[in-house]
Structure formats: C-alpha cells, structure tokens
Amino acid sequence: MRIFSAENLFIVSLLLYLLAGILGLTLSKKQKISNLLCSLLCTFAALSAVISSLGTLLSDQKILLIGGVQSTIPFLTFELKMDALSAFFVLALSILVLCVSIYSIDYLSHYIGKRPLGLFHFLYALFILSMMFVLTSSNALFFYIAWEVMALVSYFLVIFESEKEENRKAGALYVVMTHLATAFLLGGFMIVYRYTGSFDLFGSAEAVPELVKNIVFLFFVIGFGTKAGMIPLHIWLPYAHPAAPSNVSALMSGIMIKTAVYGLARFVIGFLGIEQTWWGVLILSLGIISAVLGVAYALMEQNIKRLLAFSSVENMGIILIGMGAAMIALSKGNSFVAELALTACLFHTLNHSLFKGGLFLGAGSIQYACHTKEIEDLGGLIKKMPITAALFLCFSLAVSSIVPFNGFVSEWLTLQSLFASIVGGQEGLNILSILGIAALGMAGAFAVACFVKLFGIAFLGLPRSEHAENAKEVPVFMNLGIGILAGACLLIGLFPLAMLKLVDKAAFSLTGASIFEELHGGLLIASCSIEWSKGAVSPIVFVLLLGIIVLLLLVTLRLIGGKYKEKKYGTWDCGYAGLNSRMQYTGTGFSKPLKIVFKILYRPSRKLELRGESAYHPEKMEYITSSESIFEKYIYRPIFTKARSLSRFTKLRIQTGSIHNYLLYIFIAVLVLMTYHRFA
C-alpha cells in the first residue's frame, strides 16, 4: 500500500482533526497558542482530505477507508467507504474548511480572553469530523449517530455567545427542528431494515414494497429537507445561521446543509431507486417554491447574516430543482437528461459552498471591523476596507450568476436540463419544467437586486454610523482565507471543464450515464466551450480574445479623445450646505418598491410616530415599516400554541403527583411493549 494513498491521507486528516480537538481542550488556558495550533492543524487536515478526495474521484474506484469494525451495539458497524459521490462532497467540505481555518487564525483573536476558545476548537473539530463521518459512513446506524453528533455540536456552536437571548432562542428552535427531522430519518431506516434485514447504505432496496418505498421517501424528504432549509421546513435557518460565529455560519450554510443533498442523493436516488415520477415532481415543486420565496425574503432583510441565510434557502431551492428534474428523468428512463440535471445539481452544490462560505466570512469581516450586522449602520466601507470590498463583490457577482464567476455555470446547466426535459406527450411535466425555468429567472432577478442592495448600501456612499466611520481593513489571514475562495469561484467560472468532469464522475455513480460520452464535447451545455463551424473555442482563448478587444477599444478611445484632463466638482447638493449620510438611499427604501408590488407575500405594515406637543410641528417623526413571514404566522405559531396547550392539559391530567398513577403508567407501558414483541 502506498504511503500517500487516498486511504492513508483520509485517515491522516481524521487524526489531525482529532488532535486539534484534544489540543483545544488541553491548551485551553493558553488561548493564543491554542488558536494558532488548532487552526493550522485543521488547515492541514483539510488539505490532506482535499488530496484524498481528488485521488478517489480521479481513480474511479470505491475505496474502503476503515474496515467493518463491529461494535457491541447490535447492527452497528463502524465502516467508512468513499465512492465518487462521497469523495465529491468531502472535496467540497475540505476546500471550505481549509479556507475557514485559515480565516479563523485572525478572526477568533477577538474572542481571546472573552470566550472559552479551547472548547470552541474542540467543538469545531468535532463538527468537521461528524460531517466527514456522515459523508463516508456505509452503515445506516453509524450514519444516524454521526448525523446526531453533527446536529448537537452545531447547536452548541450556534449558542457559543450564549449571553445573548436571541442566540439562545435560535439554538432552541434549531435543536427542536433538527431532532424532529432526525426522528423521521430514524423511522425511514427502521422501515427499510424491516424488509431488507440490513443497514448497509450501499445495498439494495428491491425487497421493499412499492407502497412502503413511498412512505420511506416522504420520511427522507422531511428529514433531509429540514436540514436543507427547504420551504416550509426552513424556519430554523434564518435564526441559527446569524447567531453562530461567522466562521461557523460559513460551514453551516456552506456545507452542513449540503449533507441533506448528499442524503437525498445517497438514500433516495442511490438506495431506493427512482420508480415513481411524483417523487421528482414533489422535489422539483419544493425547489421552485424555495428558490423564489427564499430570495424574496432575503431582499427584505436588513441584517447581513439573515439576508445570507435566506439566500441559502434560495440556492438550496436551485439545487433541489436540478435534483427533481433528475428524478423525473430517471423515472422516465431518460439517462442523459438525468445525468445533466444531476450534474447541474451537484455542481451548484459545490459552487454554493464556495461563494456562500465566502459571503459569510465576508460578513464576519464586516462585523469584526464595524461591530454590527445591520446594513443600515454601514456605508462607505469600500474606502475603509478595499480588499474586503473587492472580495465581497466577487462573491456577490457569483451568487447573482454573473459571468465570469462560477454561479453562472451551474445555473446555466440547470436551465439547460429543464429545457431538455421538455418533450412531447407529457404536458403536465412540461408545464412544471417551464415553471422551473421561470422560477430560476425570477430568482436570478431577485438575487441581483438583493446583492446590489447589500453591496451598495454597505460599501458605497458615506458611513452611516460611527462604527463604519472608524472601520479598518481586517488582518491578513482573514483576507487570505476569503481570497482563496474568491479565486476558486473565478477559476471555476473561467475554466469550468476540469471541475465539470469531476462532478460528472459523481453523478455517473448514481445514473450510470456521462454527459461527456453522450455529447462527445463541443456543446455549451456540456463542455462550456463555444462551438464554431470547425471545432470549439476554449474558455482561455475566449477570455484572451475578449481582453484584446477591450484593450483595443480603450486605445482607440484614447487616440480619438486626446489627452485626458481630470476636473473635480462638488456633488450637486440641492441647495444644502453639504451632503450627509441621512440623505442617502437606505436598504429599506431600496427594497420598498418590490415590497409594495409583492405585498400579498410580504404583508407589509406601516406606522408613523409623531413626537412633540403639536401634531403639525412635531419635534421628531419616526416611520416604521415591517413585514411578516406567512409560514411563521399561519403554520408554526398555531402549531406551537396548540402544542403548548396540549402540554399544559397533559400535565394537569397525567402529572398528578400520585406514585400509584406513575406505577400504573409503567405497568401499561411494559404490557404494551411485551404485546408488540409477541406479535411483531
């Protein structure tokens, strides 16, 4: 066995994460040393995992990382395997962890002496390890345990700043929703075991009856859909992600919610198999709703991290649109469209990990420098933080699917898969595909407006607060971590073919088809090159030609226009002595026209408060606008109210304080279990 084989490098990665967690606890009193060592160990661990996953993808082999170690717990086997699908998700995880760990070297310095950083690093390393186990486990019970650990550890990271009441509430909501989802996952695993007698994730579900498969599918949709932030199960996401430290938010939004995509791909497409068309219709429909409503709510937010959290709901919707289209195609036996749609789904999964991780890290840089997450308190940061501004602009263009960044490539492939899904003889499915195309277009328009608002209000204009006025550029390691992600977004956007081949390998492991073999290259939807009459122009040639054209245009304008003379004038101030930040456009004002147009969705309310003795000559006027979430108001609040009423009723009837009643409850429970065991 080679020393630097994929198996050995993966095990080295696990050991380095474990060592980082242990050192975090043992060096808890030496916070500066602990922070540096643990961040570096996690950086090298991520780099080792990147090489391991790339080796697995390129080798086209399924690798046994750790052999089946039977535990004392029945049916639980500790076994890790990495196939192309697992390797792809480990690659996405490791690239993001690499950049986040570099970023954390300087970012966590403001917690030194204020927070237990040793505990943070232990939880941070354990969080990454749990996701690694989720993505490589071959036993359903071990997958479930790793999934639970991932949920619990991320809960403690969400409430890391536990003195803030909103963080405690966000953590409570998160842990309730994630454990309800986990209950459905466990139910699905138990039902499958009832018919197959095995918890092997790489096995077959042929023994499971069709009706039971439908039930298991719905269980998995609820379980994984909650973790993915799929509307209407998204309620926890806009609260938990803003509460966590920004480096944790980047991991949660960038990769943790993608474990749900892995779960749907592994358990639904890979294990259950797609036989029913309505499975894909359901996933595609939920994706359409999530994509449009997610970004629509993001546009109304004035808190940067809540805005980014709702944007993650939108992008998960785009991913689910691709997955739904793939499921429909598989049910119809169209392997090429299925491969194209699944490739688009997985490609956007990777792209979103990169640019959304970068956006959350950028939000952390803004909070680090300005001590606020409110957009309305920012402004003028492009002069105070030019490097952060440039990097944040890159991610804003990527998430808005603007050429030449990576977001455009995967959304373009998603559009192409929906167009390719439209065939004769299936009018209902064709209408759904057209709705998906319209939803992507609408979501894209909203996304552009959303990030024009975010970047414009935060970085342009004049400072709106003392914090923004005194902001300074963040330390070098923070910008280095973000810069690597920005460079990756640009490189994938300019040269998508190399990454597309890796994504195709992951999709091939599920569909058995390859878009490269089907198309033989040359088409835009497959190779991202431009076909001419005799061959294709590669992206690098296209970029060079574009650069030459722009350069010639600039030279021509200079020759025609003559020598350039700079003249400075004051901005037209409408008769005022000078402009100030109160005269600028606000984020609320920027999004108000859309709030009015889509008032049926936002349910806006307005309130004007006049302060002073006279209503005609008030001393102060305050105009307050707000919108409400229809899902919270009409779904979750009524459920919470009913559950609380039922709990109070049950408490009064059952918790009587009588020992005789409690003994009777125990007797009835034992009797029911014995009866079930006798006839099951």
Side-chain angles (χ1 to χ4, degrees):
M1 181 181 293
R2 291 173 296 139
I3 297 177
F4 296 104
S5 64
E7 302 95 312
N8 290 342
L9 287 172
F10 186 85
I11 294 173
V12 167
S13 175
L14 297 182
L15 293 175
L16 288 175
Y17 284 128
L18 184 61
L19 180 60
I22 294 173
L23 282 179
L25 292 178
T26 55
L27 298 176
S28 57
K29 294 184 179 180
K30 300 178 180 180
Q31 293 192 348
K32 289 185 178 180
I33 297 175
S34 170
N35 180 42
L36 180 60
L37 285 178
C38 294
S39 297
L40 288 176
L41 283 172
C42 289
T43 300
F44 287 118
L47 183 60
S48 179
V50 166
I51 300 172
S52 174
S53 55
L54 281 174
T56 304
L57 279 170
L58 295 174
S59 67
D60 293 327
Q61 294 180 355
K62 183 187 296 183
I63 297 176
L64 178 64
L65 302 169
I66 297 178
V69 180
Q70 189 66 42
S71 71
T72 56
I73 302 175
F75 312 112
L76 176 61
T77 302
F78 182 74
E79 184 175 80
L80 303 181
K81 289 182 181 179
M82 187 188 291
D83 62 355
L85 183 66
S86 297
F88 174 76
F89 278 89
V90 170
L91 177 65
L93 165 66
S94 301
I95 292 174
L96 184 57
V97 170
L98 172 69
C99 299
V100 171
S101 298
I102 295 173
Y103 176 91
S104 299
I105 295 173
D106 281 329
Y107 173 75
L108 292 175
S109 63
H110 74 287
Y111 286 121
I112 293 176
K114 302 175 183 177
R115 299 277 173 217
L117 272 187
L119 176 61
F120 177 88
H121 283 296
F122 173 75
L123 295 173
Y124 178 81
L126 185 58
F127 182 43
I128 299 169
L129 276 173
S130 64
M131 288 190 284
M132 296 279 277
F133 289 147
V134 163
L135 298 175
T136 57
S137 174
S138 65
N139 179 271
L141 281 184
F142 183 63
F143 175 93
Y144 173 78
I145 293 172
W147 187 273
E148 272 286 83
V149 172
M150 179 181 70
L152 286 173
V153 173
S154 56
Y155 161 74
F156 288 113
L157 289 170
V158 166
I159 63 168
F160 185 65
E161 300 181 43
S162 57
E163 76 281 358
K164 299 178 181 178
E165 184 180 358
E166 63 269 23
N167 291 1
R168 296 195 299 271
K169 289 182 177 180
L173 177 61
Y174 170 57
V175 79
V176 168
M177 290 298 295
T178 195
H179 278 86
L180 285 174
T182 304
F184 280 95
L185 292 182
L186 183 60
F189 293 150
M190 293 295 104
I191 293 173
V192 169
Y193 177 79
R194 171 68 177 79
Y195 290 93
T196 63
S198 172
F199 286 109
D200 183 13
L201 297 185
F202 292 90
S204 173
E206 293 181 358
V208 182
E210 182 177 326
L211 177 61
V212 177
K213 277 188 178 181
N214 291 333
I215 296 173
V216 172
F217 166 73
L218 291 176
F219 275 30
F220 286 159
V221 168
I222 296 172
F224 291 121
T226 303
K227 180 66 71 177
M230 178 178 66
I231 289 179
L233 304 172
H234 70 294
I235 187 69
W236 64 272
L237 197 148
Y239 291 97
H241 287 203
S246 293
N247 54 347
V248 175
S249 299
L251 289 179
M252 291 180 68
S253 189
I255 194 62
M256 186 193 74
I257 60 177
K258 308 303 191 315
T259 58
V261 180
Y262 171 79
L264 287 172
R266 175 68 71 195
F267 292 101
V268 176
I269 299 178
F271 183 75
L272 293 180
I274 307 299
E275 299 174 357
Q276 303 290 329
T277 303
W278 71 267
W279 290 12
V281 170
L282 177 62
I283 296 295
L284 179 54
S285 301
L286 291 172
I288 290 172
I289 295 170
S290 299
V292 175
L293 296 188
V295 71
Y297 281 118
L299 185 57
M300 295 299 116
E301 287 296 332
Q302 306 308 323
N303 181 296
I304 296 178
K305 293 179 75 173
R306 276 182 63 88
L307 183 151
L308 296 178
F310 273 115
S311 173
S312 291
V313 174
E314 176 226 352
N315 281 276
M316 291 305 297
I318 295 172
I319 292 169
L320 292 174
I321 287 174
M323 180 169 285
M327 289 182 177
I328 293 174
L330 285 172
S331 69
K332 296 296 184 180
N334 192 337
S335 59
F336 167 68
V337 175
E339 170 71 9
L340 180 60
L342 191 58
T343 298
C345 163
L346 296 178
F347 205 165
H348 199 71
T349 298
L350 172 67
N351 288 340
H352 182 252
S353 295
L354 299 176
F355 60 66
K356 188 53 62 68
L359 283 168
F360 269 106
L361 295 182
S365 295
I366 294 172
Q367 189 178 1
Y368 182 95
C370 303
H371 310 288
T372 182
K373 294 178 284 188
E374 296 299 322
I375 299 175
E376 304 289 20
D377 293 335
L378 303 174
L381 295 184
I382 195 169
K383 295 180 180 179
K384 308 289 183 178
M385 308 168 65
I387 299 176
T388 299
L391 296 174
F392 203 93
L393 178 61
C394 292
F395 298 124
S396 298
L397 294 173
V399 73
S400 303
S401 301
I402 304 297
V403 176
F405 290 91
N406 58 345
F408 169 78
V409 181
S410 50
E411 288 203 33
W412 176 253
L413 287 172
T414 305
L415 277 171
Q416 292 299 313
S417 67
L418 291 172
F419 278 116
S421 300
I422 301 175
V423 295
Q426 50 178 38
E427 287 74 14
L429 294 177
N430 289 345
I431 291 174
L432 186 61
S433 296
I434 293 171
L435 288 175
I437 294 168
L440 282 176
M442 187 174 183
F446 270 109
V448 171
C450 182
F451 284 91
V452 166
K453 163 191 163 180
L454 174 55
F455 187 84
I457 302 299
F459 289 96
L460 304 181
L462 298 173
R464 292 174 169 82
S465 67
E466 186 178 347
H467 290 306
E469 180 69 37
N470 298 327
K472 295 180 180 179
E473 187 59 85
V474 296
V476 62
F477 281 111
M478 293 176 68
N479 280 331
L480 178 60
I482 304 176
I484 295 172
L485 288 174
C489 291
L490 182 59
L491 285 175
I492 293 176
L494 289 174
F495 314 108
L497 187 56
M499 185 56 68
L500 193 58
K501 288 181 178 179
L502 294 179
V503 180
D504 183 60
K505 289 177 180 291
F508 177 81
S509 67
L510 294 174
T511 63
S514 170
I515 55 175
F516 289 96
E517 293 180 1
E518 291 285 343
L519 292 175
H520 306 290
L523 290 181
L524 180 61
I525 59 174
S527 64
C528 300
S529 62
I530 301 176
E531 186 179 15
W532 285 354
S533 59
K534 293 183 179 181
V537 178
S538 67
I540 188 169
V541 176
F542 179 73
V543 172
L544 289 174
L545 289 174
L546 184 62
I548 292 171
I549 292 172
V550 171
L551 182 62
L552 290 175
L553 181 62
L554 292 174
V555 171
T556 304
L557 290 175
R558 182 63 182 270
L559 292 175
I560 295 175
K563 189 176 181 180
Y564 177 74
K565 295 181 180 180
E566 181 180 1
K567 295 183 180 180
K568 294 183 179 180
Y569 295 94
T571 307
W572 181 47
D573 55 14
C574 300
Y576 289 95
L579 296 175
N580 59 58
S581 60
R582 295 188 62 189
M583 301 175 187
Q584 298 179 131
Y585 228 83
T586 64
T588 304
F590 185 90
S591 56
K592 186 176 180 180
L594 287 172
K595 183 185 288 188
I596 295 173
V597 172
F598 297 97
K599 62 182 179 180
I600 191 172
L601 171 64
Y602 297 119
R603 311 295 293 271
S605 61
R606 308 174 187 85
K607 185 178 180 181
L608 179 63
E609 291 185 356
L610 305 177
R611 298 179 184 178
E613 296 181 359
S614 172
Y616 296 101
H617 302 283
E619 297 177 2
K620 187 177 181 180
M621 300 175 63
E622 189 171 356
Y623 181 69
I624 303 172
T625 64
S626 61
S627 58
E628 63 183 19
S629 169
I630 57 177
F631 298 99
E632 287 188 39
K633 183 175 182 179
Y634 296 106
I635 298 178
Y636 289 99
R637 287 178 188 169
I639 290 176
F640 174 75
T641 302
K642 294 293 184 182
R644 185 168 56 181
S645 300
L646 179 61
S647 298
R648 290 174 177 172
F649 174 82
T650 305
K651 179 180 179 180
L652 293 174
R653 297 295 186 276
I654 295 179
Q655 292 182 329
T656 59
S658 172
I659 189 66
H660 301 290
N661 288 345
Y662 296 156
L663 290 173
L664 179 61
Y665 300 155
I666 295 173
F667 174 75
I668 293 174
V670 172
L671 185 63
V672 169
L673 289 173
M674 292 175 64
T675 304
Y676 172 79
H677 181 72
R678 174 66 178 82
F679 294 101

